[in-house]
């Protein structure tokens, strides 16, 4: 039995709709993959940004924390070493006309 012309129109419409759906599904898959890649990149960037922020916060806290007993001991030791170097330098300087040299540390302790 041959198809009637009225039967051919719905079949053509059905075929067109199926082709449209297939094309949409394919492009939707591509769009989904691109969206996933974009989200992955944002997440990677946010992770790197969070780590960088964490490092900067830790540095800020370290810079602003009060000096510990160990910090003060190190500073005193460094000051003593600088004082000794200064005394050695002053000893090598020519004597002053006013009657000799007095180290800067000795002058400060006299004051």
């Amino acid at each position: 039995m041959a198809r009637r012309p009225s039967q051919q129109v719905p079949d053509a419409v059905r075929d067109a709709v199926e082709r449209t759906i297939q094309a949409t599904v394919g492009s939707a898959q591509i769009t989904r993959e691109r969206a996933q890649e974009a989200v992955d990149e944002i997440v990677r960037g946010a992770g790197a940004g969070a780590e960088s922020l964490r490092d900067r916060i830790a540095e800020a806290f370290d810079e602003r924390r009060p000096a510990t007993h160990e910090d003060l001991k190190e500073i005193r030791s460094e000051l003593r070493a600088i004082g000794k170097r200064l005394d050695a330098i002053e000893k090598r300087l020519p004597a002053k006309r006013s009657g000799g040299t007095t180290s800067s540390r000795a002058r400060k302790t006299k004051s």
Side-chain angles (χ1 to χ4, degrees), residues 13-86:
V13 171
R14 181 177 298 122
D15 289 344
V17 169
E18 285 180 9
R19 283 192 307 269
T20 303
I21 289 173
Q22 290 301 321
T24 303
V25 167
S27 76
Q29 181 64 27
I30 291 170
T31 301
R32 180 183 180 281
E33 290 170 0
R34 287 182 184 163
Q36 186 64 47
E37 289 171 4
V39 168
D40 291 344
E41 187 164 331
I42 290 170
V43 168
R44 279 192 299 272
E51 186 173 328
S52 172
L53 179 61
R54 199 172 320 131
D55 291 344
R56 289 188 304 192
I57 289 172
E59 282 179 29
F61 275 116
D62 284 344
E63 289 174 3
R64 287 166 180 79
R65 69 176 168 82
T68 64
H69 181 67
E70 281 299 313
D71 293 336
L72 294 175
K73 280 176 64 174
E74 286 180 32
I75 291 170
R76 285 185 188 115
S77 175
E78 288 178 30
L79 284 175
R80 280 188 211 100
I82 291 170
K84 288 178 183 177
R85 287 175 49 202
L86 181 60

Side-chain angles (χ1 to χ4, degrees), residues 4-17:
R4 294 184 302 192
S6 62
Q7 182 71 21
Q8 290 176 354
V9 171
D11 287 343
V13 171
R14 181 177 298 122
D15 289 344
V17 169

